[in-house]
Amino acid sequence: MAKVLRWDVMVGVLLIVVFGYGSLTSPSFATAGNLSFALSDLGEIALIALAMTMLVVAAEVDLSVASVLGLSSALVGSLWDAGLAIETIIPIAVLAGALCGLVNGLLVTRLGLPSLAVTIGTLALYRGLAYVVLGDRAVAQFPPQFVSLAVDDVPGTPIPYPVALFVLLAAIVGVVLHATGFGRSLYAIGAQEQAAFFAGIRVKRIKLLLFVVSGTVAAFAGVVFTLRYGSARADNGLGIELAVIAAVLLGGVDFDGGKGTLGGVIAGVLLIGLLRNLLMLGDVSTEIQSIVTGLLLIVSVLTPRLVSLAKPAALLRATSRANLKGSP
Amino acid sequence: MTTATAPPEQVSPARSARNLVDLVFRARELSLVIALAVLVGVTAGVNGNFLSSQGVQDILLNTSILALLAVGQSMVVITRNLDLSVGSVVGLVAFVTGDFLASGGGIVPAVLLGIAIGAGCGLLNGLLVSFCRVPALVVTLGTLYVIQGVDHYIAHGRQINAVNLPPGLLSLGNGSVLGVPYLPLITLVIMLAIGYYLRSYASGREYYAIGSSPEAARLAGVPVRRRILTAYLVSGCLAGLAGVLWLARFGTVIADSAHGWELLVVSAVVVGGVAITGGVGSVYGAALGALLLTTIGSALVVLRVNSFWQQAITGALLLLAISVDRVLALRVARLLRNRSRHG
Amino acid sequence: MSDAPALALSNVSKSFGAVRALRDVSLELFAGEAHALAGENGAGKSTLVKTLAGVHRPDSGQVLLNGEPVVFAGPADAQQAGVAVIYQEPTLFPDLSVAENIFMGRQPRRSLGRIDRKAMHDATRELFGRLGVALDPEQPSRGLSIADQQLVEIAKAISRDARVLVMDEPTAALSGNEVARLFSVVEALREHGCAILFISHRLDEIFELCQRVTTLRDGEWIASEPVSGLTHDDLVRRMVGRELGTLYPKQDAEVGEVALQVERLTREGVFTDVSFEVRRGEIVALAGLVGAGRSEVARAIFGVDRWDAGAVSVDGVRLPAGSPTAAMGAGLALVPEDRRQQGLVMELSIERNIGLTGLRDLRKGVTISRKAERDRAKDWAVRLRLKFARLSDGVGVLSGGNQQKVVLAKWLATGPSVLIVDEPTRGIDVGTKAEVHRLLSELAGQGIAVLMISSDLPEVLGMADRVLVMHEGRLTAELSRAEATEESVMTAATGRAA
């Protein structure tokens, strides 16, 4: 019973249902062009969700990712304006993101502050810095060969480059999370940090690394975002931390840490992406999209709690089975 | 920062421990006042207009709405929770009551309507957090977007114009009695009432008890869920009232009123010395934090600093406040530990 | 006056998952009596206390108040009914003042229902006067020593004018003077018609204070009887349920080289100048009151906490401060005090918990070999006779004793040369307790140096080759097996000069 009713599997099933519904109701939905667009429109959220998954599994959260994306975009814009080569700009922007993540991580691990409070602060700080860097200007006209990297498909496939990159990174994160000692450590830290520390796991170092990765990925997503829209603005990606967190929680990762699978998160990301796409095709206003995302977020944390409130019966069955062989 | 020096040896250990802790908390409110004084002094030195009666009145008016929200937010944060939806509630209420007034509604019913909408939102948050035990951050982040979406949906790109609003409302927002504007007065009265309640009533102390140790509160028979629900309800009601006051102050509103203000409010509360981990702080401190943040905003304009800095400074101040709190708490814990051994 | 007991349990059972904490237990507390509840760690005493306090609701059976069945929906209900409880772990609000902690929810009022702070502080001073405590009512409870916290808890319970006072190990952290004063207050309450339920590990205290005693063993009721007819040994036999010899199967082992050397270890405000050594083949016990700094020394040695001065070496190799990873590398293992928070990751399976200390060893390339992980778990589960259904089951479904075996397995799998065990048998049943003792004895026989922290005096006396005693952060005595008696250990532990 437990196997079939696993949360991530249910999200996968829901994904298929939504896909089926979309194909039936909208003729333009299940076309290669639309799906490819929907995927690349989802690219940044998906990329950041990979790093966020590892953080949330370790019972931390990074709310500043959208601001790091904006700061990275602003840096790209202002440096391009200043005449630097795009090949130089991209590493600088990504490095800046790593630095942002480092600041988050140091405040969390060195001072022992809750990551929630820290990243609410840096959410304001980094977005503020983005405005300081670029003001309310928009910078455009990036070199076409780079723009096409962010927009075009991998030759011979309907898969855009950012999506291909996501698939590659997802494979790496999947292996790291589910098959390495590092991944094991993350689950242990998230479920019971003290016990992990007492088992000799370098909790602080690992958390610091996760924040740096999160900042780096968010900044890289900022570069992709900028090139994809061909426009660098300080308010790029405003509020997408919500979609990222909604996708991660919807994918069955427990906000309290220690639980969840990458497969679930990918299903969660796709589900949010498809829903957004469907709403867009259905010409539903962006307001409704924001309501839907918000509701999804609430439902994705509420349902497991409601299930666990009704759970004692199921738990009793599981334990009595253990008892059969367990007690002398 | 101020350093806490150890009191002389002859003081009894118990008393000196208390003085030490007192000192730290006094130091917080004191350092806020000093920071405020320095800021005002320097800015006024550069530009005398800063302290003109118009300048001061502007700061007070701008502070009052933020402080009102900060007062409600403190109640929530004191119980070790968070309400990120307040900004969107202000936006929704400002627009809906604006619509209501523009179509001929009375002022008193409009205020009640605003508070009722806020109460509804607060109730929703409170129920989800206290009875369903869903993490406060996630729930209120979710309701933030839902409420914002509803706001945009209702507004549908329209705008409420001051000319369509009853003059009585606008004079509430900008008028004054004996030279003191109404808005700060309203905030002051509410702040004092809630501050007094939290300090002097048994049920008020229970909010601190819950934030200080939820488990001990449960064992002591404190109605934990009901108090948390009430905290959200109060925060929601005050956000509703703030929405009406926003309309009264600015007259012309679009759907985006107070967009992103949740960050400002949380910063004001934390900068004002309410611990993000609950159990510590006062609504007075939170209001002082709101005053400081608003004054910084005004000072930046007067000092001709790029106003884009304001958000970055808000974030940096929040980080500074939680870091200083943490470092001081660690110091105090260490000092107390040594004293209890050797005292 | 009716003859009905002030508070009673009738055939109460309570389970947590697989753990049956109470089975068909009955207990009667009469007004004007001090009733002791005796039983070993894990016998179900704390569960019984929480049932009386309204924290747990019985799965079956009844709670009776003055002979009438009642259902306490929560702690507030029990308090309303006149039941005051002092828990084993202090439950204070660190940010609030001592006086507020005592009067939370029942503050003295003045006009308009406002709190009368002056009356509250005066009442607190008066309470402290009766208890002979020198604490400032307006001081926040953060930073109080464990003994002071416990005294605040006692003042809180007394201030309720309760008809039933339940005290779960109130003396564990108190010194001799404080215990004497507490007893005189309790005696006065009893004479006023209050019913007292008293739990203590120190049997002397039970004989001194109580008229009747109820014994529990493994969650089952064994006996309720007058204290006067009992001897010390009678009571122990009822608690243990078997001959002491089989419970403490300590064998002599050959004592070898120094494995763990601790020199002048100091952590400011916690412990000072702690020096000792443990040799291969030895079991050394570290005894003392709760809060004396024993666990803190163990944590510092293992690197979980930093130390401020001193040195630790394992097999002659100096350890850096504050690195569990380095300590593990040098051959140290720590079975911590708090199994649920520090020993195990409750959400993870048995095999993953056992694998957690060997993530490097289980690697095949970059990934973890599931087979190696499972083999390691299977190997140790068999060796320690772990009772389980599947290795992939969460450790949460195991009983306390089996959980402790998983913790031991996880550390023994690292092949340590020094094993530190902190309260190794807390909260586990008598059968498993004997197994753990046999295991420790075997490990010492294999040349492992064992440092055992325990608050259970019979365990200390039964298992240790040497006993170190701590009082207020300092080592106050080192006793050989021959010198160590209940009295000599308690004398050193309460700071009375030997």
Side-chain angles (χ1 to χ4, degrees):
Chain A
M1 172 207 104
K3 288 278 178 214
V4 186
L5 275 185
R6 268 179 43 175
W7 180 265
D8 45 2
V9 177
M10 279 163 51
V11 174
V13 171
L14 196 58
L15 182 64
I16 295 169
V17 170
V18 168
F19 190 86
Y21 173 82
S23 321
L24 288 178
T25 52
S26 169
S28 52
F29 175 73
T31 58
N34 178 55
L35 290 180
S36 158
F37 168 77
L39 283 178
S40 61
D41 202 31
L42 201 59
E44 295 82 17
I45 291 175
L47 281 175
I48 298 174
L50 290 178
M52 189 72 84
T53 302
M54 294 196 282
L55 269 172
V56 180
V57 164
E60 298 289 343
V61 71
D62 184 355
L63 295 177
S64 72
V65 282
S67 299
V68 174
L69 188 154
L71 179 56
S72 153
S73 182
L75 276 175
V76 170
S78 85
L79 293 178
W80 176 247
D81 227 18
L84 265 71
I86 200 90
E87 293 86 349
T88 327
I89 293 174
I90 293 176
I92 291 177
V94 172
L95 207 63
L99 202 64
C100 289
L102 187 70
V103 170
N104 285 335
L106 285 176
L107 285 168
V108 170
T109 58
R110 294 291 140 155
L111 285 181
L113 293 168
S115 59
L116 177 64
V118 166
T119 56
I120 283 184
T122 52
L123 186 159
L125 177 64
Y126 298 155
R127 184 67 72 182
L129 290 178
Y131 279 109
V132 170
V133 168
L134 199 61
D136 47 10
R137 290 181 298 146
V139 175
Q141 268 133 21
F142 294 102
Q145 70 271 29
F146 280 91
V147 170
S148 71
L149 263 186
V151 181
D152 287 359
D153 295 342
V154 178
T157 66
I159 301 166
Y161 278 108
V163 175
L165 178 72
F166 168 75
V167 171
L168 181 70
L169 285 179
I172 294 174
V173 171
V175 169
V176 166
L177 199 57
H178 295 301
T180 66
F182 184 80
R184 291 277 202 282
S185 309
L186 295 188
Y187 283 94
I189 292 172
Q192 190 50 265
E193 182 175 332
Q194 269 197 68
F197 185 50
F198 272 75
I201 291 169
R202 298 173 199 259
V203 174
K204 289 187 173 179
R205 195 179 297 183
I206 288 176
K207 283 190 175 176
L208 186 62
L209 180 66
L210 290 183
F211 278 105
V212 172
V213 168
S214 171
T216 310
V217 171
F220 186 77
V223 173
V224 174
F225 193 105
T226 308
L227 294 178
R228 195 158 65 81
Y229 286 97
S231 163
R233 294 174 54 91
D235 64 354
N236 272 352
L238 191 66
I240 69 162
E241 72 276 356
L242 177 82
V244 172
I245 290 172
V248 170
L249 297 183
L250 193 60
V253 179
D254 192 320
F255 190 68
D256 294 332
K259 280 196 210 88
T261 61
L262 189 70
V265 171
I266 292 172
V269 168
L270 291 177
L271 186 59
I272 285 198
L274 285 189
L275 279 176
R276 285 183 155 203
N277 185 253
L278 268 178
L279 291 171
M280 201 187 64
L281 289 179
D283 214 12
V284 176
S285 57
T286 47
E287 296 90 76
I288 301 288
Q289 290 189 35
S290 139
I291 296 179
V292 169
T293 322
L295 281 177
L296 271 178
L297 182 64
I298 295 173
V299 167
S300 61
V301 284
L302 185 59
T303 322
R305 307 275 153 168
L306 291 182
V307 169
S308 77
L309 286 181
K311 206 178 189 177
L315 190 74
L316 214 63
R317 273 199 299 282
T319 52
S320 63
R321 192 191 57 222
N323 252 354
L324 285 179
K325 279 173 90 176
S327 55
Chain B
M1 281 318 301
T2 50
T3 46
T5 47
E9 281 305 303
Q10 53 268 43
V11 184
S12 83
R15 220 160 254 284
S16 62
R18 173 175 127 214
N19 290 345
L20 190 70
V21 174
D22 270 5
L23 188 69
V24 170
F25 291 111
R26 296 270 156 71
R28 178 47 160 282
E29 280 166 12
L30 199 66
S31 58
L32 274 183
V33 172
I34 292 172
L36 206 53
V38 170
L39 180 67
V40 169
V42 169
T43 314
V46 175
N47 187 334
N49 282 339
F50 188 62
L51 280 186
S52 68
S53 78
Q54 187 56 44
V56 172
Q57 186 151 338
D58 275 351
I59 289 178
L60 286 181
L61 281 173
N62 289 339
T63 302
S64 16
I65 292 177
L66 183 61
L68 196 60
L69 294 169
V71 166
Q73 185 77 250
S74 330
M75 267 186 90
V76 176
V77 175
I78 283 170
T79 64
R80 207 182 272 189
N81 281 294
L82 197 62
D83 185 356
L84 289 181
S85 72
V86 287
S88 61
V89 173
V90 171
L92 176 67
V93 168
F95 199 91
V96 171
T97 52
D99 240 3
F100 174 74
L101 286 165
S103 59
I107 292 180
V108 174
V111 172
L112 293 179
L113 174 70
I115 294 176
I117 294 173
C121 297
L123 196 66
L124 177 68
N125 286 327
L127 283 174
L128 286 169
V129 173
S130 66
F131 285 90
C132 305
R133 303 195 190 168
V134 186
L137 168 87
V138 184
V139 167
T140 57
L141 200 58
T143 49
L144 182 161
Y145 279 84
V146 172
I147 296 169
Q148 206 172 69
V150 171
D151 184 14
H152 281 267
Y153 180 74
I154 293 174
H156 218 79
R158 289 177 304 143
Q159 174 177 323
I160 306 284
N161 291 312
V163 285
N164 298 330
L165 295 175
L169 182 83
L170 297 175
S171 70
L172 173 73
N174 299 290
S176 57
V177 54
L178 301 174
V180 184
Y182 290 120
L183 248 49
L185 277 181
I186 295 172
T187 300
L188 193 68
V189 168
I190 291 174
M191 176 191 81
L192 289 175
I194 292 184
Y196 193 75
Y197 164 73
L198 286 180
R199 182 171 155 70
S200 298
Y201 282 82
S203 51
R205 301 309 296 167
E206 291 181 347
Y207 293 90
Y208 288 90
I210 292 167
S212 193
S213 168
E215 181 55 23
R218 206 172 61 85
L219 289 176
V222 173
V224 177
R225 290 177 178 191
R226 202 176 343 141
R227 295 281 174 265
I228 291 178
L229 184 61
T230 312
Y232 275 101
L233 198 58
V234 170
S235 173
C237 287
L238 292 185
L241 180 61
V244 181
L245 297 183
W246 182 289
L247 182 69
R249 164 121 173 82
F250 297 106
T252 304
V253 296
I254 52 170
D256 252 348
S257 313
H259 185 81
W261 265 45
E262 56 280 346
L263 285 180
L264 263 182
V265 175
V266 172
S267 302
V269 165
V270 172
V271 168
V274 179
I276 196 90
T277 46
V280 177
S282 71
V283 293
Y284 314 121
L288 212 50
L291 181 61
L292 180 65
L293 289 188
T294 312
T295 311
I296 289 175
S298 304
L300 288 181
V301 177
V302 171
L303 295 176
R304 298 227 171 78
V305 177
N306 187 340
S307 69
F308 292 126
W309 275 100
Q310 192 177 348
Q311 192 178 6
I313 289 176
T314 304
L317 267 182
L318 192 157
L319 292 173
L320 181 72
I322 55 175
S323 304
V324 167
D325 275 354
R326 179 74 187 161
V327 170
L328 282 180
L330 291 176
R331 284 261 171 85
V332 170
R334 205 178 168 88
L335 280 171
L336 287 175
R337 204 174 64 196
N338 283 346
R339 202 151 292 163
S340 72
R341 268 285 183 239
H342 307 307
Chain C
M1 243 192 89
S2 75
D3 295 339
L7 189 64
L9 293 179
S10 152
N11 306 101
V12 162
S13 298
K14 178 77 190 172
S15 299
F16 302 98
V19 185
R20 296 182 67 182
L22 292 177
R23 264 175 283 184
D24 215 17
V25 170
S26 298
L27 174 78
E28 294 183 325
L29 294 177
F30 291 95
E33 79 161 339
H35 193 120
L37 186 60
E40 293 216 302
N41 285 331
K45 293 170 297 184
S46 291
T47 309
L48 190 148
V49 167
K50 288 194 168 163
T51 307
L52 290 175
V55 176
H56 296 326
R57 238 186 276 183
D59 297 337
S60 65
Q62 285 180 321
V63 182
L64 304 162
L65 189 70
N66 297 320
E68 300 292 320
V70 284
V71 175
F72 294 142
D77 273 11
Q79 282 164 21
Q80 208 70 45
V83 181
V85 182
I86 300 170
Y87 296 98
Q88 211 169 342
E89 311 278 330
T91 53
L92 297 180
F93 305 111
D95 301 305
L96 303 185
S97 75
V98 165
E100 277 200 289
N101 265 289
I102 293 175
F103 287 101
M104 178 53 66
R106 308 170 291 122
Q107 296 94 333
R109 312 287 163 89
R110 53 191 176 126
S111 59
L112 300 172
R114 292 170 299 164
I115 295 171
D116 188 341
R117 281 204 152 65
K118 190 175 169 305
M120 185 166 81
H121 293 148
D122 289 346
T124 307
R125 268 184 215 104
E126 195 264 329
L127 277 170
F128 284 167
R130 276 164 73 191
L131 285 168
V133 179
L135 285 176
D136 178 1
E138 295 174 55
Q139 160 181 15
S141 67
R142 187 186 295 287
L144 291 182
S145 70
I146 294 194
D148 285 344
Q149 290 182 36
Q150 200 59 272
L151 291 168
V152 174
E153 287 286 351
I154 291 164
K156 178 159 74 177
I158 291 172
S159 74
R160 289 184 188 277
D161 286 323
R163 287 184 299 152
V164 178
L165 177 60
V166 180
M167 300 190 287
D168 192 354
E169 302 228 26
T171 58
L174 302 190
S175 69
N177 267 343
E178 291 163 328
V179 171
R181 220 174 257 126
L182 171 66
F183 279 13
S184 69
V185 174
V186 170
E187 196 60 35
L189 288 173
R190 188 181 68 75
E191 277 162 16
H192 276 91
C194 184
I196 315 273
L197 183 67
F198 179 78
I199 298 175
S200 175
H201 263 109
R202 306 185 203 160
L203 300 186
D204 292 342
E205 294 179 351
I206 292 180
F207 285 97
E208 185 184 338
L209 187 73
C210 300
Q211 288 81 50
R212 290 202 303 148
V213 56
T214 292
T215 316
L216 297 181
R217 189 197 311 145
D218 291 344
E220 286 183 86
W221 177 89
I222 302 298
S224 292
E225 58 209 319
V227 167
S228 52
L230 286 176
T231 66
H232 217 280
D233 287 350
D234 291 337
L235 193 52
V236 172
R237 213 164 296 127
R238 280 173 183 55
M239 285 162 56
V240 176
R242 60 171 84 186
E243 286 308 312
L244 279 175
T246 60
L247 186 57
Y248 303 113
K250 174 70 178 104
Q251 295 149 1
D252 284 331
E254 198 173 313
V255 175
E257 297 287 291
V258 171
L260 173 67
Q261 174 113 38
V262 177
E263 293 160 274
R264 310 207 60 173
L265 203 64
T266 299
R267 179 167 158 83
E268 268 172 43
V270 182
F271 53 82
T272 313
D273 261 353
V274 173
S275 304
F276 63 88
E277 55 187 41
V278 184
R279 293 172 173 272
R280 289 185 170 274
E282 250 191 331
I283 298 182
V284 174
L286 193 52
L289 299 181
V290 171
R294 298 166 302 165
S295 298
E296 289 77 1
V297 169
R299 289 167 63 108
I301 292 174
F302 190 66
V304 170
D305 294 334
R306 294 192 148 265
W307 63 71
D308 297 318
V312 174
S313 24
V314 174
D315 292 330
V317 181
R318 283 237 176 162
L319 294 184
S323 169
T325 319
M328 283 171 69
L332 258 177
L334 170 68
V335 173
E337 180 183 16
D338 184 340
R339 192 163 56 231
R340 303 183 68 87
Q341 306 269 330
Q342 301 164 345
L344 294 171
V345 182
M346 298 308 278
E347 281 94 338
L348 293 186
S349 64
I350 298 168
E351 55 192 357
R352 295 234 169 151
N353 267 291
I354 294 177
L356 213 52
T357 49
L359 293 175
R360 273 165 207 277
D361 308 333
L362 298 173
R363 266 189 311 202
K364 208 174 84 187
V366 286
T367 61
I368 293 269
S369 157
R370 294 202 181 202
K371 184 173 178 308
E373 189 179 51
R374 179 149 291 194
D375 288 348
R376 174 184 169 116
K378 205 183 281 172
D379 179 26
W380 283 98
V382 170
R383 281 210 234 175
L384 299 187
R385 284 182 255 166
L386 186 72
K387 287 163 191 137
F388 63 96
R390 282 186 310 234
L391 287 171
S392 55
D393 282 339
V395 284
V397 305
L398 299 179
S399 71
N402 279 303
Q403 287 178 2
Q404 189 71 330
K405 284 186 183 174
V406 175
V407 184
L408 281 162
K410 147 180 165 181
W411 284 108
L412 294 178
T414 64
S417 58
V418 179
L419 176 67
I420 305 177
V421 287
D422 194 350
E423 304 287 0
T425 59
R426 176 182 283 177
I428 68 183
D429 59 283
V430 177
T432 319
K433 187 168 175 173
E435 279 188 65
V436 169
H437 288 151
R438 187 167 353 92
L439 180 70
L440 290 178
S441 188
E442 279 169 24
L443 290 170
Q446 291 159 18
I448 291 180
V450 179
L451 178 65
M452 177 181 79
I453 297 170
S454 174
S455 300
D456 191 349
L457 266 179
E459 181 172 87
V460 167
L461 300 176
M463 294 301 299
D465 295 304
R466 267 189 303 141
V467 181
L468 306 167
V469 189
M470 282 186 79
H471 172 66
E472 295 193 346
R474 288 173 187 274
L475 273 185
T476 49
E478 177 172 347
L479 306 164
S480 68
R481 192 173 173 85
E483 292 167 328
T485 63
E486 198 155 316
E487 203 187 349
S488 64
V489 173
M490 280 316 290
T491 303
T494 52
R496 281 172 283 162

